Amino acid sequence: MDERAGTPGEVRVVGAERPDGLELRTRGLAFRGLPELRAGGLPPYLGQGWARILAALAARVAVAGGPPAGDVELAPDVAFRLTSDGDHLVPGPPGGFTGAADEWRREVVLRLFPSARS
């Protein structure tokens, strides 16, 4: 599918199951000349939460006209560092984070969406 498909200005989050877990990507930022976002290796149970996270981060990238400098805070004490991986931006733990990345991925979903605990 063409990454430019859809309505101009529209950004979608699409997913696919891969051998190492779920991979989510945005589609639509490239239409504006911006890098797309990607998160891979996710456990499937985190898919819905991370799709919402990618959508929120994509909105920040679109408003800024490119990758924001430094960490991107989506809520108090919930920040992401966007790093370049080829043509994509990959959200990861903020600067100074020292824990396990997999645990951080789960924790940010629970902090942003407390109803995910049930």
Side-chain angles (χ1 to χ4, degrees):
M1 182 167 131
D2 181 5
E3 288 191 358
R4 297 179 186 204
T7 307
E10 179 179 88
V11 176
R12 295 179 185 193
V13 177
V14 297
E17 192 70 37
R18 304 276 186 232
D20 67 339
L22 183 64
E23 180 175 276
L24 300 174
R25 295 174 182 249
T26 60
R27 296 238 169 121
L29 290 170
F31 184 78
R32 300 175 183 161
L34 301 170
E36 300 289 351
L37 282 84
R38 183 184 72 207
L42 296 166
Y45 73 91
L46 293 179
Q48 194 171 43
W50 268 88
R52 292 173 67 184
I53 289 168
L54 283 186
L57 291 171
R60 296 285 181 95
V61 169
V63 167
D71 294 341
V72 179
E73 192 170 288
L74 293 184
D77 296 324
V78 182
F80 301 81
R81 170 124 335 149
L82 299 176
T83 57
S84 180
D85 181 21
D87 294 335
H88 294 88
L89 295 175
V90 177
F97 179 81
T98 58
D102 287 341
E103 184 64 27
W104 171 82
R105 289 175 163 189
R106 184 175 114 9
E107 187 62 29
V108 296
V109 169
L110 294 175
R111 284 186 187 177
L112 291 171
F113 315 111
S115 63
R117 289 187 191 279
S118 54

